[in-house]
């Protein structure tokens, strides 16, 4: 099952729940961040524990971020990026 298919499945399931409001833009952003982290981590042959050690975080925290349902701070995301040997850039801030 593809990543985009998983997100669409999630949206369909939530839409069936009466009275539930979801900020899909926020979820899509969290999902995109999670997919990017997992993809890079796997490309580098790292486990969640490896990345956690490099980033100075717990494996549980990495798992939560990678689930796509966590709301990590910019500081935490920067630590994860650093653990992957990457930097974070915000290219669309000018649009705010």
């Amino acid at each position: 099952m593809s990543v985009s298919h998983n997100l669409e499945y999630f949206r369909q399931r939530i839409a069936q729940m009466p009275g539930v409001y979801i900020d899909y833009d926020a979820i899509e952003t969290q999902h995109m961040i999670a997919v990017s982290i997992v993809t890079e981590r796997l490309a580098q042959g790292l486990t969640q524990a490896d990345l956690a050690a490099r980033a100075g975080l717990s494996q549980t925290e990495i798992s939560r971020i990678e689930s796509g349902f966590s709301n990590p701070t910019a500081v935490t995301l920067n630590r994860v990026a650093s653990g992957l040997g990457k930097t974070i850039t915000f290219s669309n801030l000018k649009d705010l």
Side-chain angles (χ1 to χ4, degrees):
M1 191 179 295
S2 72
V3 170
S4 60
H5 182 71
N6 285 341
L7 184 58
E8 186 55 36
Y9 174 77
F10 174 75
R11 285 182 176 185
Q12 290 173 3
R13 292 286 309 256
I14 293 297
Q16 296 171 3
M17 297 178 185
V20 175
Y21 168 77
I22 299 293
D23 183 348
Y24 288 111
D25 290 336
I27 289 173
E28 201 160 346
T29 300
Q30 289 169 319
H31 189 74
M32 180 192 69
I33 289 168
V35 169
S36 297
I37 291 169
V38 171
T39 300
E40 184 60 29
R41 178 178 62 76
L42 293 176
Q44 293 186 27
L46 300 173
T47 65
Q48 288 181 345
D50 295 333
L51 177 55
R54 287 181 174 194
L57 300 168
S58 69
Q59 182 274 327
T60 302
E61 193 162 5
I62 296 297
S63 177
R64 284 188 199 126
I65 294 167
E66 289 186 355
S67 75
F69 295 104
S70 173
N71 193 17
T73 65
V75 171
T76 299
L77 288 175
N78 192 46
R79 290 172 76 175
V80 171
S82 180
L84 292 168
K86 305 290 181 180
T87 58
I88 295 176
T89 58
F90 297 97
S91 60
N92 64 346
L93 284 180
K94 64 180 179 250
D95 297 334
L96 294 178

